[in-house]
């Protein structure tokens, strides 16, 4: 089964910090080779030659991995590791052959040394370094898997605390309206059915347009509950296919709207407004959830913590750190902004 290229360990190898680490590790290996016992003359020369050969091997191997990454990311992370070792050995063999032909290294490290002995030594060093790298790679992948599982367990625990809230409030609203407004109650139960289906679907992602439609239904339920105290503003494009390239974990926007109502509308005697808007760029989508702030003495003491933390964790895990949730206050409003990368 393939792995998302953004989450495959090979992706980390092509980051600036990792490339610098590879170059520095190569220089350290060159220094160790040049300081080997029994070599007393030409220390700087030997260090320079060893550094040149090692850096060519390192750059060649990383370059080959980069060119082959579309195929490698289709493999499991552990299955791609032996391929990397094979590329390291092939690159070492190519650099050794070039060294013998171009620089005539056959006289090093000892006069009269067989050219094949130099090639064998370089391959042996590359094999040892590669095996050490494989061990480090396996440890890195295992630690990453444990971290992802721990984060997912935290997200699931937080999400389990969110889902009952809006279901409980919606049921109470339906009970209050069942006699006075039976048609409104019927529509509320239909909307609630869709929301509950989304909550228990088990899907890891849904189209953004579907998530926005569920959020709009949730707002309709809350408008029945609060009446004129809740004013809803909706500024989302309705063009067909406009959001087809954007996915989101289910019920990620709804908790932000729920928090806006809980902390912006409920504490205020006069009510207020909740606005949902969408901003689009070629590379990302931003959804803003704004709510008016009640007077200072009416503010909720609970804060925006549980829902916000759960959504932020889900989005960060889902987008591998490319998306997120930010909050701030501006012009008398509380603003929660959820950012998602576009997919091609």
């Amino acid at each position: 089964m393939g792995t998302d290229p953004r989450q495959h360990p090979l992706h980390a190898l092509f980051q600036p910090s990792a490339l610098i680490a590879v170059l520095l590790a190569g220089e350290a290996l060159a220094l160790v080779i040049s300081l080997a016992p029994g070599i007393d003359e030409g220390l700087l020369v030997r260090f320079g030659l060893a550094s040149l050969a090692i850096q060519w091997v390192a750059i060649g191997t990383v370059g080959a991995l980069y060119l082959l990454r579309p195929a490698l990311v289709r493999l499991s992370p552990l299955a791609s590791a032996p391929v990397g070792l094979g590329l390291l050995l092939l690159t070492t063999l190519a650099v050794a052959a070039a060294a013998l032909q171009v620089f005539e290294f056959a006289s090093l490290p000892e006069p009269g040394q067989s050219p094949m002995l130099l090639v064998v030594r370089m391959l042996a060093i590359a094999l040892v370094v590669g095996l050490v790298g494989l061990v480090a790679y396996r440890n890195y992948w295992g630690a990453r898997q444990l971290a992802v599982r721990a984060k997912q367990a935290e997200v699931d625990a937080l999400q389990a605390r969110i889902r009952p809230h809006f279901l409980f409030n919606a049921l109470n609203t339906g009970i209050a309206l069942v006699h006075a407004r039976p048609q409104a109650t019927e529509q509320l139960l239909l909307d609630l059915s869709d929301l509950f289906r989304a909550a228990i679907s088990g899907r890891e992602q849904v189209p953004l347009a579907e998530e926005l439609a569920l959020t709009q239904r949730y707002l309709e339920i809350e408008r029945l509950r609060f009446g004129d105290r809740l004013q809803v503003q909706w500024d989302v494009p309705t063009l067909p296919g406009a959001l087809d390239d954007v996915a989101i974990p289910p019920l990620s926007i709804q908790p932000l709207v729920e928090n806006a109502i809980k902390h912006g509308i409920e504490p205020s005697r006069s009510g207020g407004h909740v606005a949902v808007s969408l901003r689009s760029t070629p590379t990302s989508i931003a959804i803003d959830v704004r709510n008016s702030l009640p007077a200072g003495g009416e503010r909720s003491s609970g804060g925006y913590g549980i829902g916000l933390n759960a959504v932020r964790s889900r989005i960060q895990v889902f987008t591998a750190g490319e998306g997120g949730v930010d909050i701030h206050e501006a012009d008398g409003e509380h603003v929660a902004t959820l950012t998602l990368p576009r997919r091609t």
Side-chain angles (χ1 to χ4, degrees):
M1 181 178 178
T3 302
D4 186 340
R6 297 173 296 111
Q7 300 179 359
H8 199 285
L10 281 178
H11 179 72
L13 181 61
F14 307 125
Q15 303 305 309
S17 58
L19 294 176
I20 293 174
V22 169
L23 295 178
L24 292 178
E27 292 301 294
L29 178 59
L31 181 61
V32 170
I33 293 175
S34 64
L35 293 176
I39 301 177
D40 300 324
E41 299 179 357
L43 177 61
L44 292 179
V45 174
R46 293 181 184 278
F47 173 75
L49 294 175
S51 175
L52 180 63
I54 291 171
Q55 296 302 347
W56 271 110
V57 171
I59 294 172
T61 303
V62 173
L65 288 172
Y66 185 80
L67 293 175
L68 294 175
R69 74 192 187 285
L72 292 176
V73 295
R74 296 190 181 96
L75 302 174
S76 68
L78 295 182
S80 61
V83 178
L85 177 60
L87 288 174
L88 174 64
L89 295 176
L90 287 175
T91 306
T92 302
L93 183 61
V95 170
L100 293 175
Q101 293 296 323
V102 178
F103 298 103
E104 297 183 357
F105 283 0
S107 60
L108 295 175
E110 299 175 0
Q113 174 183 289
S114 170
M116 288 304 301
L117 181 58
L118 177 63
V119 173
V120 171
R121 286 184 175 181
M122 291 182 66
L123 287 174
I125 293 173
L127 179 61
V128 172
V129 172
L131 292 176
V132 172
L134 283 182
V135 172
Y137 181 86
R138 290 179 64 89
N139 290 338
Y140 165 79
W141 179 243
R144 178 168 177 169
Q145 291 293 90
L146 290 176
V148 169
R149 289 171 185 168
K151 174 62 72 174
Q152 190 61 49
E154 177 187 353
V155 169
D156 291 342
L158 288 170
Q159 190 65 14
R161 299 173 64 184
I162 291 175
R163 289 173 178 169
H165 291 178
F166 75 87
L167 297 174
F168 177 78
N169 291 336
L171 287 174
N172 280 344
T173 302
I175 292 171
L177 295 175
V178 67
H179 295 297
R181 300 173 60 184
Q183 291 184 345
T185 303
E186 181 181 359
Q187 184 59 48
L188 181 148
L189 292 176
L190 290 174
D191 291 340
L192 182 59
S193 175
D194 290 335
L195 286 166
F196 189 75
R197 186 181 299 111
I200 65 174
S201 66
R203 291 188 293 175
E204 295 183 358
Q205 65 181 39
V206 296
L208 179 58
E210 181 179 330
E211 174 69 9
L212 289 169
L214 285 172
T215 303
Q216 193 168 20
R217 291 193 175 193
Y218 173 77
L219 282 170
E220 292 299 323
I221 292 174
E222 293 293 57
R223 286 183 67 181
L224 290 174
R225 177 184 169 203
F226 288 97
D228 294 337
R229 290 178 58 203
L230 173 59
Q231 303 298 320
V232 176
Q233 301 169 9
W234 192 264
D235 183 16
V236 175
T238 57
L239 294 176
L243 304 177
D244 287 349
D245 62 341
V246 184
I248 188 172
L251 293 181
S252 291
I253 302 176
Q254 180 274 332
L256 302 182
V257 175
E258 183 179 0
N259 272 340
I261 293 173
K262 179 179 180 181
H263 301 290
I265 308 303
E266 281 186 357
S268 176
R269 297 182 180 88
S270 59
H273 68 269
V274 173
V276 180
S277 60
L278 185 145
R279 294 176 285 115
S280 176
T281 71
T283 59
S284 66
I285 290 285
I287 300 100
D288 295 321
V289 178
R290 301 173 177 268
N291 65 271
S292 55
L293 296 173
E298 298 177 333
R299 293 199 179 191
S300 170
S301 60
Y304 289 75
I306 294 176
L308 177 63
N309 289 335
V311 173
R312 179 183 287 120
S313 296
R314 296 183 77 198
I315 295 300
Q316 288 178 346
V317 171
F318 178 73
T319 64
E322 295 181 22
V325 176
D326 297 311
I327 62 170
H328 65 279
E329 293 186 5
D331 300 326
E333 293 181 320
H334 180 276
V335 184
T337 300
L338 189 155
T339 306
L340 295 166
R342 281 189 178 273
R343 296 285 178 262
T344 57

